[in-house]
């Protein structure tokens, strides 16, 4: 019996020795799939895992490239991308396996991020304006969609998941639960430029700005010390429980933004701020720091960053100088001091009882106009409303001169003024010529504000593109 067992054992060992050793399969980032768009006239960064310290070969449309993997199998390479075109094929292989990515296009690639108003899908829970017609007409082979899986991490992550198994072209099925603003933006941009456009939906409803900011960023801004101490000193179980509140500082930057750093993008579209209403002073610094964090992560100090100023919301009030929503909108506008930033407003598109207004098509149209003018050299396009060029306080009257022609339905409205005794009131206002508004009250005016409320009723627009004039405040002698 013992002899038979030993013989069987020898036979088994011999059989196992004859089986080739299992090898690691070539691994690429989850966002590298068929139907992807790469940023034209840039470089395609490929980072992955091979079968040990071997040669990795890449063929981009029959042009060969190669790199040597490290001892642990890690490899990376950067390949020039052509001008707009495709479909291309990318073949990646090592000594053990081969991956082929098909239907790849070189075009324009934008990252679309923020909270629920950017996440709001065409169908799904969002159901935007005319969503049934939009879905029915959504098939578009020039629009490519990638949706990043919601992921939290208390440390920067190397990997990130994707939904829909990767890139998809626009169809009723792929668009249904995809960011409406991102899809509408890509659709218009593709029409305007005549190239394939990819948009990355990297969003999470209800999240504050600090969740999307680096640890160094939130530390520099201040006000998050207690949460930072908890994330840095707690044990793994406590951290895991804490990270289940996706509102904690830096957890979405770590889990959803940092892993995308090798993806070369044209720029960022951002719609967020509701999660920070009531903390406008902190947000003014935080938002600017976040923009800087992302630019440093991508190694592009002037990477375009275009964002949406919050829509009107809550019960309308005629005089509301302490509006928390107005203060947050101003904190957003403060980021325009940074180069290569642009802001579009949604203040005229809001709903007093719904924080998710339905007309996402118009928000996307404004973002697209902004990008066409500032990123693609279309100087024939008007992307901003007129702004106050000069202001003269003259006792009970304020003379506001704009830098371009304005108009209003009836008399201008949306103004509030502060008297010398600190009282805020609604003044009278009228147009003079094509670019002047006269604001008057029955006592001397010390400060004038426009569209300064949760749900303001301002009606002044530019004559050219009919874009609403942004909220502003001007104090006497300042």
């Amino acid at each position: 019996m013992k002899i038979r067992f030993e013989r069987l054992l020898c036979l088994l060992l011999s059989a196992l020795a004859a089986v080739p050793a299992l090898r690691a399969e070539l691994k690429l980032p989850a966002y590298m799939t068929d139907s992807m768009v790469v940023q034209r006239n840039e470089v395609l960064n490929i980072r992955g895992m091979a079968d040990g310290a071997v040669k990795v070969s890449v063929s981009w449309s029959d042009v060969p490239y190669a790199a040597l993997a490290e001892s642990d199998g890690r490899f990376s390479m950067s390949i020039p991308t052509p001008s707009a075109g495709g479909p291309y094929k990318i073949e990646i292989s090592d000594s053990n396996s081969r991956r082929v990515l098909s239907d790849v296009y070189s075009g324009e690639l934008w990252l679309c991020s923020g909270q629920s108003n950017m996440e709001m899908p065409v169908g799904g829970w969002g159901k935007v304006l005319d969503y049934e017609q939009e879905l029915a007409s959504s098939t578009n082979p020039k629009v490519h969609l990638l949706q990043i899986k919601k992921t939290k991490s208390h440390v920067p992550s190397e990997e990130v998941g994707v939904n829909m198994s990767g890139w998809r072209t626009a169809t009723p099925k792929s668009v249904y639960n995809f960011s409406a603003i991102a899809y509408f933006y890509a659709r218009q941009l593709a029409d305007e430029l005549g190239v394939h456009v990819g948009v990355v939906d990297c969003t999470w409803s209800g999240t504050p700005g600090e969740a999307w900011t680096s640890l160094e960023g939130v530390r520099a801004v201040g006000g998050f010390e207690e949460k930072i101490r908890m994330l840095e000193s707690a044990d793994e179980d406590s951290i895991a429980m804490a990270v289940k509140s996706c509102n904690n500082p830096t957890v979405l930057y770590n889990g959803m933004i940092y892993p995308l750093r090798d993806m070369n993008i044209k720029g960022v579209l951002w719609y967020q701020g509701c999660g920070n209403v009531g903390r406008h002073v902190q947000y003014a610094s935080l938002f600017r720091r976040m923009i800087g964090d992302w630019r440093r992560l991508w190694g592009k100090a002037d990477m375009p960053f275009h964002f949406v100023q919050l829509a009107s919301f809550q019960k309308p009030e005629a005089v509301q100088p302490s509006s928390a929503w107005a203060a947050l909108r101003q904190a957003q506008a403060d980021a325009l001091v940074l180069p290569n930033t642009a802001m579009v407003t949604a203040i005229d598109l809001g709903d007093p009882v719904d924080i998710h207004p339905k007309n996402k098509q118009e928000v996307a149209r404004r973002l697209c106009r902004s990008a066409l003018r500032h990123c693609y050299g279309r100087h024939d396009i008007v992307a901003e409303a007129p702004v106050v060029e000069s202001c003269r306080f003259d006792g009970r009257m304020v003379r506001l001169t704009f830098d371009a022609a304005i108009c209003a339905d009836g008399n201008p409205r949306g103004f509030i003024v502060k008297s010398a005794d600190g009282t805020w009131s609604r003044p009278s206002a009228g147009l003079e010529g094509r670019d002047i508004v006269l604001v008057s009250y029955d006592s001397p005016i010390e400060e004038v504000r426009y569209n300064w409320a949760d749900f303001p009723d301002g009606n002044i627009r530019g004559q050219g593109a009919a874009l609403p004039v942004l909220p502003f405040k001007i104090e006497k002698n300042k």
Side-chain angles (χ1 to χ4, degrees):
M1 189 64 142
K2 181 178 179 182
I3 295 175
R4 182 179 297 175
F5 174 77
E6 289 177 347
R7 183 174 298 171
L8 288 172
L9 181 61
C10 289
L11 289 172
L12 178 61
L13 292 174
S14 298
L16 289 173
V19 176
L22 294 176
R23 296 180 176 181
E25 184 176 348
L26 187 66
K27 184 178 180 183
L28 299 175
Y31 56 75
M32 291 193 69
T33 71
D34 293 346
S35 299
M36 72 177 180
V37 170
V38 299
Q39 180 59 41
R40 58 177 170 170
N41 301 318
E42 260 282 3
V43 293
L44 169 63
N45 297 312
I46 303 176
R47 173 178 52 85
M49 290 289 293
D51 183 26
V54 298
K55 178 181 177 181
V56 179
S57 300
V58 175
S59 174
W60 167 271
S61 193
D62 299 325
V63 178
Y65 299 88
L68 291 177
E70 302 291 338
S71 58
D72 61 357
R74 296 180 185 274
F75 71 91
S76 63
M77 62 179 72
S78 296
I79 298 173
T81 59
S83 56
Y88 297 105
K89 182 172 65 175
I90 302 176
E91 297 185 28
I92 307 171
S93 61
D94 61 10
S95 58
N96 179 50
S97 57
R98 174 172 169 266
R99 291 279 302 274
V100 178
L101 306 180
S102 302
D103 196 39
V104 176
Y105 286 86
S106 187
E108 293 298 306
L109 181 57
W110 284 81
L111 175 63
C112 306
S113 189
Q115 58 180 120
S116 54
N117 272 297
M118 182 62 87
E119 178 182 335
M120 185 175 173
V122 176
W125 64 264
K127 294 182 173 54
V128 301
L129 182 68
D130 300 325
Y131 80 97
E132 291 176 324
Q133 296 94 309
E134 293 288 5
L135 289 171
S137 62
S138 63
T139 299
N140 191 330
K142 283 192 172 183
V143 173
H144 299 244
L145 315 174
L146 178 69
Q147 191 172 64
I148 302 301
K149 187 173 293 185
K150 290 179 172 61
T151 307
K152 309 172 292 290
S153 178
H154 69 286
V155 294
S157 175
E158 292 295 329
E159 304 296 336
V160 72
V162 297
N163 297 326
M164 300 188 291
S165 300
W167 285 95
R168 292 289 180 266
T169 55
T171 64
K173 183 178 180 180
S174 62
V175 161
Y176 189 81
N177 282 308
F178 195 85
S179 163
I181 289 178
Y183 160 65
F184 292 137
Y185 173 85
R187 181 179 69 182
Q188 183 173 347
L189 193 64
D191 287 344
E192 292 281 351
L193 300 180
V195 303
H196 285 249
V197 175
V199 280
V200 182
D201 176 355
C202 184
T203 56
W204 197 317
S205 293
T207 52
E210 58 265 27
W212 299 95
T213 306
S214 75
L215 178 61
E216 296 77 13
V218 294
R219 200 193 306 276
V221 169
F224 305 102
E225 290 78 11
E226 184 176 345
K227 288 187 176 181
I228 290 173
R229 279 196 299 271
M230 181 272 297
L231 290 173
E232 289 185 324
S233 63
D235 57 55
E236 289 297 322
D237 291 338
S238 299
I239 289 175
M241 289 298 294
V243 172
K244 287 182 179 179
S245 167
C246 56
N247 291 342
N248 274 326
T250 206
V251 294
L252 302 186
Y253 172 88
N254 291 334
M256 298 175 70
I257 299 300
Y258 185 84
L260 302 180
R261 66 195 183 281
D262 289 328
M263 179 190 290
N264 255 317
I265 56 176
K266 178 69 172 184
V268 175
L269 304 182
W270 175 258
Y271 193 167
Q272 186 276 337
C274 302
N276 292 85
V277 170
R279 294 187 284 137
H280 63 277
V281 174
Q282 183 186 59
Y283 191 80
S285 298
L286 179 71
F287 187 33
R288 293 195 296 271
R289 177 60 197 235
M290 191 204 84
I291 294 172
D293 280 350
W294 289 26
R295 287 173 165 174
R296 280 184 288 274
L297 185 64
W298 266 274
K300 297 179 179 180
D302 61 347
M303 182 172 69
F305 200 102
H306 295 205
F307 55 95
V308 183
Q309 191 179 49
L310 294 183
S312 50
F313 180 55
Q314 303 282 29
K315 180 182 177 181
E317 294 186 33
V319 179
Q320 196 181 14
S322 60
S323 165
W325 284 76
L328 199 285
R329 293 186 194 110
Q330 182 60 53
Q332 292 178 300
D334 289 346
L336 293 174
V337 299
L338 299 177
N340 237 15
T341 56
M343 182 177 75
V344 304
T345 188
I347 199 163
D348 58 326
L349 304 174
D351 186 318
V353 296
D354 190 349
I355 202 170
H356 304 120
K358 302 294 187 182
N359 190 356
K360 293 296 187 276
Q361 294 92 326
E362 178 60 18
V363 177
R365 186 186 77 89
R366 294 175 185 179
L367 284 168
C368 188
R369 292 178 69 90
S370 179
L372 288 170
R373 180 175 179 86
H374 298 293
C375 302
Y376 299 103
R378 289 286 304 275
H379 298 297
D380 58 311
I381 289 178
V382 176
E384 284 90 19
V387 297
V388 174
E389 189 173 53
S390 64
C391 176
R392 189 177 77 199
F393 285 79
D394 187 11
R396 293 180 295 177
M397 181 175 291
V398 177
R399 184 185 184 89
L400 302 168
T401 303
F402 288 80
D403 64 355
I406 56 173
C407 60
D409 298 326
N411 289 328
R413 63 175 184 267
F415 291 97
I416 60 173
V417 295
K418 184 172 73 172
S419 305
D421 63 359
T423 302
W424 287 93
S425 308
R426 292 276 281 196
S428 300
L431 291 173
E432 181 179 275
R434 61 190 297 273
D435 58 359
I436 295 174
V437 174
L438 298 178
V439 178
S440 58
Y441 189 57
D442 57 9
S443 64
I445 300 172
E446 299 294 318
E447 182 177 347
V448 59
R449 295 185 182 183
Y450 174 73
N451 260 7
W452 199 273
D454 295 351
F455 196 95
D457 64 346
N459 64 344
I460 308 176
R461 295 177 175 271
Q463 283 191 7
L467 294 172
V469 167
L470 297 174
F472 62 82
K473 60 177 181 176
I474 304 174
E475 294 182 54
K476 186 178 179 180
N477 298 325
K478 283 193 177 182

